[in-house]
Amino acid sequence: KVTNVRVERLQDITTMDIQKEGIDILGLTQNLIYQKWEILWDSTAKDGYKQEDNPYVFVYEFERIHDV
């Protein structure tokens, strides 16, 4: 279930949001966390949408619904 949608610049991502994207941040410095995120993002992004381009992105927040 989608609980929130917002628009933000890619480089405004927080470390908490990076962790929600699946990157293990435990024991990493903030600099390393953002480096890992940039590598992940750029591995799937098309030209013009890379980390350095700082595009606007839609951020979808959701909660998992479990079948009873």
Side-chain angles (χ1 to χ4, degrees), residues 11-26 28-34 37:
Q11 293 177 9
D12 291 338
I13 193 168
T14 65
T15 54
M16 180 186 286
D17 287 337
I18 289 172
Q19 186 175 25
K20 289 176 183 178
E21 290 291 333
I23 293 181
D24 183 10
I25 66 171
L26 189 62
L28 297 177
T29 65
Q30 191 159 344
N31 189 39
L32 285 175
I33 292 168
Y34 282 96
W37 166 247

Side-chain angles (χ1 to χ4, degrees), residues 8-13 17-18 21 23 33-60:
E8 66 181 36
R9 298 300 289 244
L10 181 62
Q11 293 177 9
D12 291 338
I13 193 168
D17 287 337
I18 289 172
E21 290 291 333
I23 293 181
I33 292 168
Y34 282 96
Q35 283 178 9
K36 287 182 81 167
W37 166 247
E38 184 174 347
I39 290 167
L40 174 64
W41 181 268
D42 285 349
S43 73
T44 61
K46 295 179 180 181
D47 289 342
Y49 295 95
K50 303 288 186 179
Q51 178 76 11
E52 66 183 25
D53 300 316
N54 198 23
Y56 284 99
V57 294
F58 286 98
V59 179
Y60 292 87

